[in-house]
Amino acid sequence: MPAPTVTYTFLGPEGTFTEAALMQVPDAAHAIRIPSSNVNTALDKVRDGSADAAMVPIENSVEGGVTATLDAIATGQELRILREALVPISFVLVARPGVEIGDIRRVSTHGHAWAQCRLWVDANIPNAEYIPGSSTAAAAMGLLDADGVHYDAAICAPIVAQEQPGLSVLAENIGDNPGAVTRFVLVGRPGELPARTGADKTTVVVPLPEDRPGALMEILDQFATRGVNLSRIESRPTGQYLGHYFFSIDADGHVADARVADALAGLHRISPATRFLGSYQRADGHRSIVAPHTSDQAFRAAHAWVRDILSGASAVAEYTPGASPRA
Ligand SMILES: O=C(O)C(=O)Cc1ccccc1
């Protein structure tokens, strides 16, 4: 029997950087692909079952976290990050044929694109007004609307201009940082976890306990004492009231790694509303560096030692750091 067709949604329309990220997923070319006009509606399609997973931007190397995504996956019905994708970002300025740079008064694009082209805009079209767009491609396609456009140019990916004869490129490579990369995540519903590969990442959301001096230090300590490296940590307001925050954290390793599982259990003791958002393979392939005393063998031996003590058996060390551990 042929496998049922998978349905993916993504921040669209066609031509967004998010679509480029989705096309890195091996079965995406044969899947049903439904564009969504914002991150929340994409995630709602996953929650209500009309899509199996959604590709959304989560972090870029210039602006940091994509707050719309961080907030949307931190609350509401639980979701899981299944994989990540990295996309190098370069921007072009497009307009309808005949429009020149000197004519441009208003420019539309996605907020993150605008933020990444600030220096070029200041140097080349300093008086241009920014018109927020739901995505780079939506802004570009809006220039072709028959029923009147409220801006003169858009900032988008080069592919949009290549595929639309009605758009001409006024400037290329206008991003302030030529090495800019955006990280995207494929988000699905809770289910079987992606397998541990040795080059994995785990994402959690940890509400900061209130009126508890040193709470942040205690949270960080759960990772530090188990030798778990962090690759991202961001605080976000919960939106409930001023001063109430959660931390969105990416840690090296998979929840199937004993040191990561132990750190997560520690987080749960400190902050019981901690949310596990997924363990998944890293897009850059970097393997976690594991100190001998935080290896799975070291944890197994330590638990066996405590069990022996509790059972009254003689507690013989099964593993000594520095010695070759027993499997
Ligand atoms: O608007 C897009 O094309 C997106 O995919 C969101 C985005 C915008 C700017 C940089 C990276 C991703």
Side-chain angles (χ1 to χ4, degrees):
M1 224 177 37
T5 310
V6 179
T7 301
Y8 291 127
T9 186
F10 62 99
L11 173 66
E14 276 175 35
T16 59
F17 295 105
T18 312
E19 189 195 33
L22 178 62
M23 295 317 288
Q24 291 185 18
V25 177
D27 64 352
H30 309 289
I32 298 170
R33 300 188 299 277
I34 309 173
S36 290
S37 55
N38 64 60
V39 166
N40 277 307
T41 54
L43 296 177
D44 283 347
K45 287 190 180 96
V46 179
R47 288 189 169 111
D48 71 19
S50 49
D52 297 300
M55 186 64 85
V56 289
I58 192 165
E59 178 185 9
N60 77 64
S61 56
V62 180
E63 277 293 295
V66 178
T67 52
T69 302
L70 294 174
D71 295 349
I73 58 178
T75 53
Q77 196 185 317
E78 262 196 272
L79 295 167
R80 289 281 187 276
I81 299 175
L82 306 173
R83 61 186 296 143
E84 65 174 8
L86 300 175
V87 177
I89 304 291
S90 80
F91 298 107
V92 294
L93 182 75
V94 296
R96 289 171 83 129
V99 174
E100 290 176 14
I101 287 207
D103 304 329
I104 294 172
R105 301 281 169 270
R106 296 167 141 210
V107 180
S108 183
T109 191
H110 187 274
H112 273 251
W114 185 248
Q116 290 182 54
C117 298
R118 225 165 252 152
L119 296 179
W120 188 90
V121 167
D122 285 350
N124 294 279
I125 41 173
N127 299 320
E129 183 189 345
Y130 172 53
I131 309 294
S134 57
S135 72
T136 54
M141 297 310 288
L143 288 167
L144 304 176
D145 276 356
D147 51 346
V149 188
H150 310 292
Y151 47 91
D152 318 297
I155 294 174
C156 63
I159 189 161
V160 179
Q162 282 156 19
E163 293 187 354
Q164 283 302 330
L167 295 175
S168 62
V169 175
L170 296 181
E172 288 177 301
N173 288 321
I174 65 171
D176 299 332
N177 179 344
V181 171
T182 294
R183 181 178 160 232
F184 297 82
V185 285
L186 185 69
V187 180
R189 291 180 291 279
E192 200 181 323
L193 294 179
R196 164 166 65 165
T197 67
D200 308 294
K201 221 178 239 185
T202 291
T203 302
V204 284
V205 168
V206 189
L208 190 65
E210 285 172 272
D211 301 328
R212 180 154 159 182
L216 175 57
M217 185 79 105
E218 274 183 79
I219 289 168
L220 295 178
D221 214 29
Q222 301 311 308
F223 297 103
T225 56
R226 278 104 178 168
V228 176
N229 186 50
L230 303 186
S231 55
R232 184 183 60 84
I233 174 162
E234 274 166 278
S235 66
R236 291 289 307 147
T238 60
Q240 288 167 6
Y241 47 88
L242 198 63
H244 195 226
Y245 280 85
F246 68 81
F247 284 86
S248 174
I249 299 174
D250 287 344
D252 288 0
H254 193 286
V255 66
D257 295 320
R259 66 188 181 288
V260 176
D262 216 53
L264 262 51
L267 292 179
H268 184 82
R269 282 188 284 105
I270 295 166
S271 182
T274 291
R275 198 179 255 227
F276 171 75
L277 281 182
S279 287
Y280 48 93
Q281 186 171 13
R282 291 177 69 117
D284 62 10
H286 289 172
R287 299 183 71 81
S288 303
I289 296 166
V290 185
H293 70 286
T294 63
S295 66
D296 279 8
Q297 293 100 311
F299 272 92
R300 261 202 310 274
H303 289 140
W305 179 69
V306 172
R307 266 199 315 274
D308 284 352
I309 293 172
L310 288 169
S311 72
S314 76
V316 178
E318 189 196 325
Y319 164 73
T320 317
S324 75
R326 277 191 255 157

